[in-house]
Each structure stands twice: as structure tokens, then as C-alpha cells.
Amino acid sequence: MEQSAHRQPQDGPDPSLTFGPGVTDHHRRLDADAWADIYIVGDVHGCRATLDRLLDRLDPSADDLLVFVGDLVRKGPDSAGVLDFVRAHENAVSVRGNNEQGVIDGSKSAPALDAADVADLESFPLAVSWDDCLVVHGGVDHRKPLVEHSPTDLLEMRSLTGSGYERPFWFERRRDPPRVFFGHTVLDAPFETEWAVGLDTGCVYGGSLTAYDYRASEFVSVPAAETHQTRSDDSIVDARATPDVGE
């Protein structure tokens, strides 16, 4: 992909989304009309070779924006290479994932990354939005307003009953705007409803790397180049929208 000559994604006033003090300074609002297309990319986890194959499929121009849902780093073989790609392209931006957060706070290791890399991870926003769309790593709990969400909510939200893999999942029950694009929860296939789009299809576990073409409203996936870690079947979700929204 060519280096973008396009202007940087711009922060600006947010007319529709209000976050609390722990998040508001880490929210980047984008102008969708400034970009020919927008591609939202799932969890890469250091799988640079697979990312390159996906980019070959997408063939983005300098006028297209790439938005990553976080977890660029750890678990795969080339965290530095994935981070270098995002830093080298003005038309690429990533929200912070729980793995970036773990590297920042020292609870997770990433030996290939140096202090400057960690400082760059810390600069990642917790949320990116445009129009009526929101990108976060973990998710959004529809049972409370955005202003009450903590950074941990946006980084790690999954189940409505706790922190594990017990149903219901927030994205299966979501019926409210904004439309949330997310990663974090490993899915056996991309997930899409009017209100939520799930993009972590387990690249590092031998699944696939998935992007969503915003203008075309379609998924683009490539199979993983290699399997770098194993994962139990009970932590790979067969997602489905549920009609019961009582939660």
C-alpha cells in the first residue's frame, strides 16, 4: 500500500457521542466524507504476513482509511511489523486493544517492542467514530449510557453476565445506535447486524483475518498464513442475534 498523501484523520467535535472523563480524551472523531472508502480491520495479533495478504485483497488507495479494532500486537510473530505498518501510513489508525493496554501497564509482555513502541501504543485512542458508527476493541453495554462506560468496558466488554464466555453476549442483544465495530471476542465467522459488526475471526489461531468494507457493506477475509497459537472450541463463538432484548 502506498504511503498516504491524504491529510491525517482529524479529531473534532462529536455531536452524537458523549463519553465519561476516563474516555473522552481518548476518543477520535473522524470525517467519513474525507475518505473514498473506509475499511475496518479485525485483530491482527502480530500476524504481519496475513495482514499483507489482506491488504493485497483490499488494495486500498491513499484516499482510503484503514481503521483497526485493536490487538495489533502479541501472540503472533511480528508485533513490531504490524505496528510499523500502522505508524508508517497516515491513512491507518487503530483503537487500543486489551493487549496494547496490557503492554502499556506491564501486565502483558511483548519483548519485540521497545519503550518508544509502548509510548506509541499509549497514544492509541480507546474509541474512534464517524457518522453513526463507533469502533472499540471490546464492546458497548446497551444497558447504560456511553458516558458511564469505563476504559475497561470498551477494552474488554463481551458477556452481559460477566467477563467470560457465558451468553448472552452484548453484540447479540444490541438494538441501539451507534453501530459498533469490534474485535476481542473470537468468532467462528464475521458477525453483522444493524447495530454491531464483529471482526475478530481468530487470525492468530489459524482462522482468518477479516475486514469490513464500509462503502460496500461487505466482509473481506483471507485465511491465516499460519497457526501461531491454539484455542479451545468453547472460546470461539458461534455468534447469533437473539430476539430477546430483555437483558
Side-chain angles (χ1 to χ4, degrees), residues 83-124:
L83 180 57
D84 285 345
F85 172 85
V86 173
R87 288 187 295 205
H89 292 86
E90 294 180 353
N91 59 334
V93 61
S94 180
V95 299
R96 192 185 308 177
N98 65 300
N99 277 277
E100 282 84 23
Q101 186 61 48
V103 173
I104 292 164
D105 63 29
S107 64
K108 298 181 185 293
S109 64
L113 304 182
D114 60 22
D117 295 328
V118 176
D120 285 337
L121 297 181
E122 196 166 9
S123 74
F124 286 6

Short mmCIF file of all heavy atoms in Angstrom, two decimals, residues 83-124:
data_model
loop_
_atom_site.label_atom_id
_atom_site.label_comp_id
_atom_site.label_asym_id
_atom_site.label_seq_id
_atom_site.Cartn_x
_atom_site.Cartn_y
_atom_site.Cartn_z
N LEU A 83 2.81 -3.00 13.96
CA LEU A 83 2.82 -1.64 14.49
C LEU A 83 3.52 -0.69 13.53
O LEU A 83 3.05 0.43 13.30
CB LEU A 83 3.50 -1.62 15.86
CG LEU A 83 3.60 -0.27 16.57
CD1 LEU A 83 2.23 0.37 16.76
CD2 LEU A 83 4.32 -0.44 17.90
N ASP A 84 4.61 -1.13 12.93
CA ASP A 84 5.33 -0.29 11.97
C ASP A 84 4.43 0.07 10.78
O ASP A 84 4.47 1.20 10.28
CB ASP A 84 6.57 -1.01 11.44
CG ASP A 84 7.71 -1.03 12.45
OD1 ASP A 84 7.65 -0.26 13.43
OD2 ASP A 84 8.65 -1.83 12.26
N PHE A 85 3.62 -0.88 10.34
CA PHE A 85 2.72 -0.59 9.21
C PHE A 85 1.77 0.54 9.56
O PHE A 85 1.58 1.49 8.79
CB PHE A 85 1.93 -1.83 8.80
CG PHE A 85 0.87 -1.51 7.79
CD1 PHE A 85 1.18 -1.47 6.45
CD2 PHE A 85 -0.43 -1.21 8.19
CE1 PHE A 85 0.21 -1.13 5.51
CE2 PHE A 85 -1.40 -0.86 7.27
CZ PHE A 85 -1.08 -0.83 5.92
N VAL A 86 1.14 0.45 10.73
CA VAL A 86 0.16 1.47 11.11
C VAL A 86 0.83 2.83 11.27
O VAL A 86 0.31 3.85 10.82
CB VAL A 86 -0.57 1.04 12.39
CG1 VAL A 86 -1.48 2.15 12.91
CG2 VAL A 86 -1.38 -0.23 12.14
N ARG A 87 2.02 2.83 11.88
CA ARG A 87 2.72 4.10 12.08
C ARG A 87 3.18 4.72 10.76
O ARG A 87 3.28 5.95 10.65
CB ARG A 87 3.92 3.89 12.99
CG ARG A 87 3.57 3.64 14.42
CD ARG A 87 4.78 3.59 15.31
NE ARG A 87 5.67 2.48 14.98
CZ ARG A 87 6.51 1.94 15.86
NH1 ARG A 87 6.57 2.42 17.10
NH2 ARG A 87 7.28 0.94 15.52
N ALA A 88 3.47 3.90 9.77
CA ALA A 88 4.03 4.39 8.52
C ALA A 88 2.99 4.97 7.57
O ALA A 88 3.36 5.59 6.57
CB ALA A 88 4.80 3.27 7.82
N HIS A 89 1.71 4.76 7.86
CA HIS A 89 0.66 5.17 6.94
C HIS A 89 -0.28 6.16 7.60
O HIS A 89 -0.93 5.84 8.61
CB HIS A 89 -0.10 3.95 6.42
CG HIS A 89 0.72 3.07 5.55
ND1 HIS A 89 1.54 2.08 6.05
CD2 HIS A 89 0.90 3.07 4.19
CE1 HIS A 89 2.17 1.49 5.04
NE2 HIS A 89 1.81 2.06 3.91
N GLU A 90 -0.37 7.34 7.02
CA GLU A 90 -1.23 8.38 7.58
C GLU A 90 -2.71 8.03 7.48
O GLU A 90 -3.53 8.62 8.18
CB GLU A 90 -0.95 9.71 6.88
CG GLU A 90 0.44 10.26 7.15
CD GLU A 90 0.68 11.58 6.44
OE1 GLU A 90 -0.20 11.98 5.65
OE2 GLU A 90 1.73 12.19 6.68
N ASN A 91 -3.04 7.10 6.58
CA ASN A 91 -4.43 6.69 6.42
C ASN A 91 -4.72 5.40 7.17
O ASN A 91 -5.63 4.64 6.80
CB ASN A 91 -4.79 6.56 4.95
CG ASN A 91 -3.91 5.55 4.21
OD1 ASN A 91 -2.77 5.31 4.61
ND2 ASN A 91 -4.44 4.98 3.13
N ALA A 92 -3.97 5.13 8.25
CA ALA A 92 -4.22 3.98 9.12
C ALA A 92 -4.30 4.46 10.56
O ALA A 92 -3.47 5.27 11.00
CB ALA A 92 -3.14 2.93 8.97
N VAL A 93 -5.30 3.99 11.28
CA VAL A 93 -5.47 4.34 12.68
C VAL A 93 -5.98 3.10 13.41
O VAL A 93 -6.69 2.28 12.83
CB VAL A 93 -6.47 5.52 12.84
CG1 VAL A 93 -7.84 5.18 12.30
CG2 VAL A 93 -6.56 5.99 14.29
N SER A 94 -5.59 2.94 14.66
CA SER A 94 -6.07 1.80 15.45
C SER A 94 -6.57 2.28 16.80
O SER A 94 -5.97 3.17 17.41
CB SER A 94 -4.94 0.78 15.67
OG SER A 94 -5.40 -0.33 16.44
N VAL A 95 -7.66 1.67 17.26
CA VAL A 95 -8.03 1.84 18.65
C VAL A 95 -7.14 0.94 19.50
O VAL A 95 -6.45 0.05 18.99
CB VAL A 95 -9.52 1.51 18.91
CG1 VAL A 95 -10.43 2.43 18.12
CG2 VAL A 95 -9.84 0.05 18.62
N ARG A 96 -7.13 1.19 20.77
CA ARG A 96 -6.34 0.40 21.71
C ARG A 96 -7.09 -0.87 22.07
O ARG A 96 -8.28 -0.83 22.38
CB ARG A 96 -6.07 1.22 22.97
CG ARG A 96 -5.03 0.64 23.90
CD ARG A 96 -4.91 1.46 25.17
NE ARG A 96 -4.72 2.88 24.93
CZ ARG A 96 -4.64 3.80 25.89
NH1 ARG A 96 -4.75 3.42 27.17
NH2 ARG A 96 -4.47 5.06 25.58
N GLY A 97 -6.41 -2.01 22.01
CA GLY A 97 -6.99 -3.27 22.44
C GLY A 97 -6.53 -3.64 23.83
O GLY A 97 -5.65 -3.00 24.41
N ASN A 98 -7.10 -4.70 24.39
CA ASN A 98 -6.69 -5.12 25.73
C ASN A 98 -5.24 -5.59 25.74
O ASN A 98 -4.55 -5.49 26.75
CB ASN A 98 -7.62 -6.20 26.28
CG ASN A 98 -7.58 -7.49 25.49
OD1 ASN A 98 -7.87 -7.51 24.29
ND2 ASN A 98 -7.22 -8.58 26.14
N ASN A 99 -4.73 -6.09 24.60
CA ASN A 99 -3.33 -6.49 24.56
C ASN A 99 -2.40 -5.27 24.54
O ASN A 99 -1.36 -5.29 25.18
CB ASN A 99 -3.06 -7.42 23.38
CG ASN A 99 -3.43 -8.85 23.71
OD1 ASN A 99 -2.65 -9.58 24.31
ND2 ASN A 99 -4.64 -9.25 23.35
N GLU A 100 -2.76 -4.23 23.80
CA GLU A 100 -2.00 -2.99 23.90
C GLU A 100 -2.02 -2.46 25.32
O GLU A 100 -0.99 -2.05 25.87
CB GLU A 100 -2.55 -1.94 22.93
CG GLU A 100 -2.16 -2.11 21.49
CD GLU A 100 -3.05 -3.07 20.73
OE1 GLU A 100 -4.21 -3.28 21.17
OE2 GLU A 100 -2.60 -3.64 19.72
N GLN A 101 -3.20 -2.49 25.94
CA GLN A 101 -3.31 -1.97 27.31
C GLN A 101 -2.44 -2.78 28.26
O GLN A 101 -1.80 -2.22 29.16
CB GLN A 101 -4.77 -2.00 27.77
CG GLN A 101 -5.00 -1.35 29.13
CD GLN A 101 -4.61 0.11 29.13
OE1 GLN A 101 -4.99 0.87 28.23
NE2 GLN A 101 -3.84 0.54 30.13
N GLY A 102 -2.41 -4.08 28.08
CA GLY A 102 -1.58 -4.92 28.94
C GLY A 102 -0.10 -4.61 28.79
O GLY A 102 0.65 -4.62 29.78
N VAL A 103 0.34 -4.35 27.56
CA VAL A 103 1.74 -3.97 27.34
C VAL A 103 2.02 -2.62 27.99
O VAL A 103 3.07 -2.41 28.62
CB VAL A 103 2.05 -3.93 25.83
CG1 VAL A 103 3.45 -3.36 25.58
CG2 VAL A 103 1.93 -5.33 25.24
N ILE A 104 1.09 -1.70 27.88
CA ILE A 104 1.26 -0.36 28.47
C ILE A 104 1.39 -0.44 29.99
O ILE A 104 2.28 0.20 30.58
CB ILE A 104 0.07 0.55 28.07
CG1 ILE A 104 0.11 0.85 26.58
CG2 ILE A 104 0.07 1.84 28.89
CD1 ILE A 104 -1.20 1.40 26.04
N ASP A 105 0.51 -1.21 30.63
CA ASP A 105 0.53 -1.24 32.10
C ASP A 105 1.45 -2.31 32.68
O ASP A 105 1.57 -2.45 33.89
CB ASP A 105 -0.89 -1.37 32.67
CG ASP A 105 -1.60 -2.67 32.28
OD1 ASP A 105 -0.93 -3.70 32.06
OD2 ASP A 105 -2.84 -2.65 32.22
N GLY A 106 2.11 -3.08 31.80
CA GLY A 106 3.10 -4.05 32.24
C GLY A 106 2.56 -5.41 32.63
O GLY A 106 3.32 -6.27 33.07
N SER A 107 1.26 -5.63 32.45
CA SER A 107 0.68 -6.93 32.81
C SER A 107 0.86 -7.97 31.70
O SER A 107 0.64 -9.16 31.94
CB SER A 107 -0.80 -6.77 33.14
OG SER A 107 -1.54 -6.35 32.00
N LYS A 108 1.22 -7.54 30.49
CA LYS A 108 1.48 -8.45 29.38
C LYS A 108 2.83 -8.10 28.77
O LYS A 108 3.24 -6.93 28.75
CB LYS A 108 0.38 -8.34 28.31
CG LYS A 108 -1.02 -8.71 28.81
CD LYS A 108 -2.04 -8.59 27.70
CE LYS A 108 -3.47 -8.83 28.19
NZ LYS A 108 -3.68 -10.22 28.61
N SER A 109 3.53 -9.10 28.28
CA SER A 109 4.86 -8.87 27.72
C SER A 109 4.82 -8.86 26.20
O SER A 109 4.03 -9.57 25.58
CB SER A 109 5.83 -9.94 28.21
OG SER A 109 5.44 -11.22 27.72
N ALA A 110 5.69 -8.05 25.63
CA ALA A 110 5.90 -8.00 24.18
C ALA A 110 7.37 -7.67 23.96
O ALA A 110 7.73 -6.52 23.72
CB ALA A 110 4.99 -6.97 23.52
N PRO A 111 8.24 -8.67 24.07
CA PRO A 111 9.69 -8.43 24.06
C PRO A 111 10.19 -7.71 22.81
O PRO A 111 11.22 -7.04 22.86
CB PRO A 111 10.28 -9.85 24.15
CG PRO A 111 9.20 -10.67 24.78
CD PRO A 111 7.91 -10.09 24.29
N ALA A 112 9.48 -7.85 21.68
CA ALA A 112 9.95 -7.22 20.45
C ALA A 112 9.71 -5.71 20.42
O ALA A 112 10.22 -5.01 19.54
CB ALA A 112 9.27 -7.86 19.25
N LEU A 113 8.94 -5.20 21.38
CA LEU A 113 8.60 -3.78 21.39
C LEU A 113 9.46 -3.05 22.40
O LEU A 113 9.67 -3.52 23.52
CB LEU A 113 7.12 -3.59 21.73
CG LEU A 113 6.12 -4.31 20.81
CD1 LEU A 113 4.69 -3.98 21.24
CD2 LEU A 113 6.34 -3.96 19.35
N ASP A 114 9.95 -1.86 22.00
CA ASP A 114 10.78 -1.07 22.91
C ASP A 114 9.95 0.04 23.55
O ASP A 114 8.73 0.13 23.33
CB ASP A 114 12.00 -0.51 22.19
CG ASP A 114 11.65 0.41 21.02
OD1 ASP A 114 10.53 0.96 20.99
OD2 ASP A 114 12.52 0.59 20.13
N ALA A 115 10.58 0.89 24.33
CA ALA A 115 9.87 1.93 25.07
C ALA A 115 9.16 2.89 24.14
O ALA A 115 8.04 3.36 24.44
CB ALA A 115 10.85 2.68 25.97
N ALA A 116 9.77 3.20 23.00
CA ALA A 116 9.12 4.10 22.04
C ALA A 116 7.87 3.45 21.45
O ALA A 116 6.85 4.13 21.24
CB ALA A 116 10.10 4.47 20.93
N ASP A 117 7.94 2.15 21.21
CA ASP A 117 6.76 1.43 20.71
C ASP A 117 5.62 1.48 21.73
O ASP A 117 4.46 1.71 21.37
CB ASP A 117 7.11 -0.03 20.44
CG ASP A 117 8.12 -0.21 19.32
OD1 ASP A 117 8.14 0.60 18.39
OD2 ASP A 117 8.91 -1.18 19.40
N VAL A 118 5.96 1.26 22.98
CA VAL A 118 4.94 1.28 24.03
C VAL A 118 4.32 2.67 24.14
O VAL A 118 3.10 2.81 24.32
CB VAL A 118 5.53 0.83 25.38
CG1 VAL A 118 4.50 0.94 26.49
CG2 VAL A 118 6.04 -0.61 25.28
N ALA A 119 5.13 3.71 24.01
CA ALA A 119 4.59 5.07 24.03
C ALA A 119 3.62 5.29 22.88
O ALA A 119 2.59 5.95 23.03
CB ALA A 119 5.73 6.08 23.97
N ASP A 120 3.92 4.72 21.72
CA ASP A 120 3.01 4.83 20.59
C ASP A 120 1.70 4.10 20.86
O ASP A 120 0.61 4.58 20.52
CB ASP A 120 3.66 4.30 19.31
CG ASP A 120 4.70 5.25 18.75
OD1 ASP A 120 4.62 6.46 19.04
OD2 ASP A 120 5.58 4.78 18.02
N LEU A 121 1.78 2.92 21.48
CA LEU A 121 0.56 2.20 21.83
C LEU A 121 -0.30 3.02 22.78
O LEU A 121 -1.53 3.03 22.68
CB LEU A 121 0.90 0.86 22.49
CG LEU A 121 1.65 -0.17 21.65
CD1 LEU A 121 1.88 -1.44 22.47
CD2 LEU A 121 0.92 -0.49 20.36
N GLU A 122 0.35 3.72 23.69
CA GLU A 122 -0.39 4.53 24.66
C GLU A 122 -1.10 5.69 24.00
O GLU A 122 -2.08 6.22 24.54
CB GLU A 122 0.56 5.03 25.75
CG GLU A 122 -0.13 5.54 26.98
CD GLU A 122 0.81 5.70 28.16
OE1 GLU A 122 2.04 5.57 27.97
OE2 GLU A 122 0.31 5.95 29.26
N SER A 123 -0.63 6.09 22.83
CA SER A 123 -1.27 7.20 22.11
C SER A 123 -2.53 6.75 21.36
O SER A 123 -3.29 7.60 20.88
CB SER A 123 -0.28 7.82 21.11
OG SER A 123 -0.09 6.98 19.98
N PHE A 124 -2.75 5.45 21.25
CA PHE A 124 -3.94 4.97 20.54
C PHE A 124 -5.20 5.40 21.27
O PHE A 124 -5.29 5.29 22.50
CB PHE A 124 -3.94 3.44 20.45
CG PHE A 124 -2.97 2.84 19.47
CD1 PHE A 124 -2.05 3.60 18.79
CD2 PHE A 124 -2.98 1.47 19.25
CE1 PHE A 124 -1.16 3.03 17.89
CE2 PHE A 124 -2.11 0.88 18.36
CZ PHE A 124 -1.19 1.66 17.67
#
